Amino acid sequence: MLNMIFLSIMILFLQKIFTFIFTYGRLNAGGIHMPLKTLSNITVNKVFAANRLLKSPVGITSNRHNRGSWGIVLKKQGKTVYTIKGKQILSDGNHPVILPKGCSYSWKCIEPGECIILEFDTDCPFDDIYCFNISDNSFLVNAFNKIEKNLS
């Protein structure tokens, strides 16, 4: 019973994140991959994990093929460049990215710093990375911290 309550709380926090993004996020020129209408249709079914990466190797390109779940990534400090279908997308403290299930991409950390990742499931069909611009990432960081705490 307690696990179901925590799961419901985590899903609620993630839904609030998407509402926040849809309301306050601005499309990142050069990184427009998902229409805001599609983003507003995301309904989170399950939260799998809240991960925190403290040290990513700088300058090393990593590849991901057929991503197993959806993810929202916020690079709290530092910078990472994602490449999908020949397009490069910058992720930093003001440019989180949404990584849809099933997409294939590469990424390279170009400036070290902490990265937080929420893994989740949704029925929304999309196969491209979506990047958006936020002026203040504190809401996303606080929501992540609450989800991470509930998963511990």
Side-chain angles (χ1 to χ4, degrees):
M1 178 69 167
L2 194 55
N3 286 340
M4 290 302 293
I5 293 171
F6 284 143
L7 180 60
S8 297
I9 290 170
M10 289 183 289
I11 289 172
L12 179 64
F13 281 134
L14 202 48
Q15 286 300 136
K16 286 185 178 182
I17 288 171
F18 284 116
T19 300
F20 171 80
I21 293 167
F22 183 69
T23 305
Y24 299 106
R26 299 291 177 254
L27 292 174
N28 178 12
I32 299 172
H33 297 288
M34 179 187 285
L36 282 176
K37 184 176 182 189
T38 302
L39 181 61
S40 69
N41 291 331
I42 290 179
T43 299
V44 177
N45 300 323
K46 183 175 183 179
V47 178
F48 296 113
N51 300 307
R52 189 179 299 266
L53 301 174
L54 301 176
K55 294 182 181 178
S56 294
V58 176
I60 305 294
T61 299
S62 299
N63 296 297
R64 182 85 179 251
H65 299 284
N66 194 23
R67 183 176 174 77
S69 64
W70 282 72
I72 182 167
V73 180
L74 175 65
K75 187 87 175 196
K76 287 177 60 179
Q77 298 92 28
K79 296 178 182 181
T80 296
V81 173
Y82 291 86
T83 303
I84 185 168
K85 300 176 185 176
K87 299 175 188 172
Q88 291 192 332
I89 300 159
L90 176 68
S91 176
D92 61 19
N94 294 97
H95 299 95
V97 295
I98 297 174
L99 306 168
K101 179 179 179 176
C103 72
S104 298
Y105 56 92
S106 65
W107 73 93
K108 181 183 352 180
C109 177
I110 58 173
E111 188 178 295
E114 183 179 356
C115 178
I116 55 179
I117 306 166
L118 291 173
E119 305 281 346
F120 63 96
D121 185 39
T122 180
D123 294 331
C124 181
F126 207 76
D127 66 351
D128 219 342
I129 294 175
Y130 173 68
C131 180
F132 51 95
N133 182 11
I134 55 174
S135 59
D136 179 9
N137 68 17
S138 61
F139 177 84
L140 292 177
V141 171
N142 291 335
F144 173 85
N145 290 337
K146 289 176 185 176
I147 292 171
E148 182 182 43
K149 183 179 175 182
N150 285 324
L151 284 174
S152 300

